[in-house]
Amino acid sequence: MNRMLILTSLCALLGLASCGHKEEEKEEEIKYQVTSPLKRDTTITNDYVSQIHSIQHIELRALEKGYLQKIFVDEGQYVRKGQLMFQILPIQYQAELLKAQAEANFVDVEYKNTKLLADSNIVSKNELALAKAKLDKAKAEVSVAQIHLGFTEVRAPFDGIMDHFQVRLGSLVNEGDLLTTLSDNSKMWVYFNVPEAEYLNYKTHAQEENLSSVNLLMANQRVYDHPGVVQTIEADFNNETGNIAFRATFPNPKGLLRHGETGNIQMTLPMKNALIIPQKATFEVLEKKYVYIVDKDNKIRSREITIAAEMPHIFVVRSGLNKDDKILLEGLRQVKENEKIQYTFVKPESVISNLSLYAE
């Protein structure tokens, strides 16, 4: 009986040992998928924070001192060029105009009398010239008085949309006081800053790739219906930020865009011989991107990379990799630094094509 028990226990121990050995073999047989960066020409779409401005946005200010007598428009109203908007109490300037006209009439009579006398050789030609000068001066004073009277009427200098009032009816305004602002929103200027490296890429390929067309992503995350055109680039880089300002012009036929809005400019740029890797092949430590490299001994090594651009499912790598490196594609959380692995190599073209990626 004792021999039977011993034999049974021994068999059980041998069975457990055999199972454990099989499990270890099974673990050792795990193969990971490995691939390499894909090197190809592609295009990337960069987003730039932008400020939207009207092509004309001006302040309307009082040109003369007085009480605001009438307001002919309303806030947010569309006004036409030359339309009367504000009337400043003109009594003083009307009186000055009447005075100047009376002086001009008096001097005109004097000039006519002097001319009759000069024609009869009763007075000299010098006296006639002096009378003519007085008449010219009086007419000039009439013109000045008319201009001052005209300044009491504030008219729209162009077609545009009114902003809110800075004054109210009956307010005493001084010369130069702000009344309101006026915006011409028929077209919009959108300003955005571009880093130096991307500026150089743009200038290199702008003509051959027709890169002047850009899109505007509005604050509601919808793309504006009409594309814009990059028309100007400022002369100098900002030494503090390393950026240079671009200006794109967008049509605004429905008046959707307003002065002061924000958005994101989306500009598509070509990238020659770009290194493309799947996003899932990377991991992040302290806001830095890493991949696992498989060395010649099949050991795992982490390596920091820098990202040039991000697109759906993929990263374009700026530095840290070359096209012959083997990177771990899956199972990043199952391996450790310096661990030796078995792997199956998957062609990068196959990997990228299965990521629902658009690249050209």
Side-chain angles (χ1 to χ4, degrees), residues 147-165:
I147 291 172
H148 281 287
L149 181 62
F151 284 166
T152 64
E153 293 182 347
V154 179
R155 297 179 179 272
F158 52 79
D159 296 352
I161 298 176
M162 289 266 302
D163 198 5
H164 65 275
F165 296 141

Side-chain angles (χ1 to χ4, degrees), residues 62-125:
L63 296 176
E64 295 291 351
K65 179 180 179 180
Y67 288 97
L68 189 59
Q69 184 181 32
K70 290 182 180 179
I71 299 177
F72 299 93
V73 290
D74 199 1
E75 297 174 329
Q77 180 179 336
Y78 185 84
V79 297
R80 295 289 184 181
K81 181 178 179 180
Q83 183 175 341
L84 182 60
M85 302 172 69
F86 300 95
Q87 174 74 65
I88 297 172
L89 189 63
I91 293 177
Q92 175 185 349
Y93 304 104
Q94 287 175 339
E96 288 180 356
L97 176 60
L98 292 174
K99 179 182 177 182
Q101 287 175 336
E103 288 287 341
N105 291 335
F106 176 76
V107 174
D108 183 54
V109 172
E110 282 191 336
Y111 169 73
K112 290 178 179 178
N113 290 335
T114 305
K115 189 175 186 309
L116 290 174
L117 295 174
D119 291 342
S120 302
N121 295 321
I122 298 174
V123 298
S124 66
K125 292 183 178 180

Side-chain angles (χ1 to χ4, degrees), residues 128-197:
L128 179 62
L130 182 60
K132 181 65 167 61
K134 288 181 178 180
L135 178 60
D136 292 340
K137 180 182 177 183
K139 289 180 178 180
E141 288 177 351
V142 171
S143 297
V144 170
Q146 288 174 334
I147 291 172
H148 281 287
L149 181 62
F151 284 166
T152 64
E153 293 182 347
V154 179
R155 297 179 179 272
F158 52 79
D159 296 352
I161 298 176
M162 289 266 302
D163 198 5
H164 65 275
F165 296 141
Q166 299 292 335
V167 292
R168 292 293 182 266
L169 192 64
S171 301
L172 175 63
V173 295
N174 292 309
E175 182 181 346
D177 281 356
L178 178 63
L179 304 177
T180 187
T181 57
L182 184 65
S183 301
D184 179 359
N185 293 341
S186 58
K187 293 181 181 179
M188 306 302 289
W189 283 346
V190 181
Y191 293 87
F192 58 102
N193 295 318
V194 177
E196 184 175 355

Side-chain angles (χ1 to χ4, degrees), residues 10 30 101 120 122 132-133 135 146 157 199 216-217 234 286 306 318 349:
L10 184 60
I30 294 177
Q101 287 175 336
S120 302
I122 298 174
K132 181 65 167 61
L135 178 60
Q146 288 174 334
Y199 159 79
L216 174 64
L217 182 66
E234 286 191 2
L286 298 178
T306 56
R318 175 177 287 116
E349 294 85 358

Side-chain angles (χ1 to χ4, degrees), residues 122-307:
I122 298 174
V123 298
S124 66
K125 292 183 178 180
N126 288 338
E127 288 189 32
L128 179 62
L130 182 60
K132 181 65 167 61
K134 288 181 178 180
L135 178 60
D136 292 340
K137 180 182 177 183
K139 289 180 178 180
E141 288 177 351
V142 171
S143 297
V144 170
Q146 288 174 334
I147 291 172
H148 281 287
L149 181 62
F151 284 166
T152 64
E153 293 182 347
V154 179
R155 297 179 179 272
F158 52 79
D159 296 352
I161 298 176
M162 289 266 302
D163 198 5
H164 65 275
F165 296 141
Q166 299 292 335
V167 292
R168 292 293 182 266
L169 192 64
S171 301
L172 175 63
V173 295
N174 292 309
E175 182 181 346
D177 281 356
L178 178 63
L179 304 177
T180 187
T181 57
L182 184 65
S183 301
D184 179 359
N185 293 341
S186 58
K187 293 181 181 179
M188 306 302 289
W189 283 346
V190 181
Y191 293 87
F192 58 102
N193 295 318
V194 177
E196 184 175 355
E198 295 171 19
Y199 159 79
L200 293 173
N201 288 338
Y202 174 85
K203 293 297 289 183
T204 301
H205 303 288
Q207 292 183 349
E208 60 191 61
E209 302 287 349
N210 190 24
L211 300 180
S212 60
S213 180
V214 294
N215 292 318
L216 174 64
L217 182 66
M218 298 181 292
N220 61 357
Q221 300 305 305
R222 295 186 61 182
V223 177
Y224 183 58
D225 291 340
H226 305 278
V229 177
V230 175
Q231 291 185 324
T232 62
I233 302 173
E234 286 191 2
D236 301 323
F237 276 88
N238 185 321
N239 292 331
E240 295 180 359
T241 63
N243 295 334
I244 192 168
F246 280 48
R247 190 191 79 198
T249 302
F250 284 80
N252 193 29
K254 297 181 180 179
L256 178 62
L257 301 180
R258 296 291 183 101
H259 180 86
E261 282 188 80
T262 60
N264 283 62
I265 286 291
Q266 295 181 328
M267 183 161 59
T268 300
L269 297 173
M271 291 196 74
K272 303 296 184 182
N273 297 321
L275 286 181
I276 300 171
I277 63 171
Q279 290 189 16
K280 66 180 182 178
T282 67
F283 61 97
E284 191 170 306
V285 177
L286 298 178
E287 299 183 355
K288 294 181 179 180
K289 290 283 192 302
Y290 291 84
V291 295
Y292 278 127
I293 299 294
V294 181
D295 65 15
K296 62 181 180 179
D297 298 322
N298 294 348
K299 289 186 177 181
I300 293 293
R301 310 282 186 185
S302 61
R303 183 184 295 177
E304 182 183 351
I305 61 173
T306 56
I307 304 301

